[in-house]
Amino acid sequence: MSKSKVPLPLASGASEAVAPCCPPLTERPFTAEEAETAARMFKALGDPVRLRLFSAVASHKGGEVCVCDISDVGVSQPTVSHHLKKLKEAGLLTSERRGTWVYYRVEPSVLAAMSRLLAVTPAAA
């Protein structure tokens, strides 16, 4: 698998619905490119600390959280920063610096794309 740092590509359709780069897992077999893109996302979420950080950001009231409010995940602050960087590189988080602090958010389109990827299509149900 490539170590490229291309974010999870998302595309908007005419109905403003967001679709991931890949079809739902149950729709058809992935192409090599689709599998690589999905694997990058799952690899980023495959670490327990990253999954906790992603969940903390996604579930935070207001849709964004200051890094100062999510550092209590059992690892040092530099390690938290490393994991947040990996989540950003996978296209799962975005960030904005405001003065001293960095604020993270999960774009709704990312959650919609992940949901569609894992959705069961009617034919597979």
Side-chain angles (χ1 to χ4, degrees):
M1 177 160 51
S2 169
K3 293 190 180 212
S4 62
K5 298 177 181 176
V6 178
L8 183 66
L10 305 174
S12 321
S15 66
E16 295 302 317
V18 176
C21 66
C22 316
L25 290 170
T26 57
E27 186 175 296
R28 64 168 171 77
F30 281 175
T31 65
E33 184 179 330
E34 291 167 340
E36 188 170 324
T37 301
R40 191 170 45 253
M41 174 192 65
F42 287 119
K43 183 177 180 181
L45 292 174
D47 182 281
V49 173
R50 288 186 200 143
L51 189 55
R52 287 183 66 198
L53 288 168
F54 185 75
S55 174
V57 174
S59 64
H60 199 272
K61 186 177 179 178
E64 69 177 9
V65 63
C66 176
V67 69
C68 61
D69 293 328
I70 58 170
S71 58
D72 187 22
V73 290
V75 295
S76 67
Q77 181 57 47
T79 304
V80 168
S81 295
H82 165 77
H83 286 302
L84 289 169
K85 177 182 174 188
K86 293 296 183 183
L87 290 168
K88 278 185 63 176
E89 288 173 349
L92 299 173
L93 294 180
T94 60
S95 66
E96 178 183 345
R97 179 170 292 280
R98 297 182 198 155
T100 306
W101 299 110
V102 177
Y103 288 77
Y104 290 89
R105 75 187 69 66
V106 178
E107 297 296 331
S109 61
V110 170
L111 293 176
M114 290 171 63
S115 176
R116 183 175 183 277
L117 177 68
L118 296 173
V120 176
T121 57

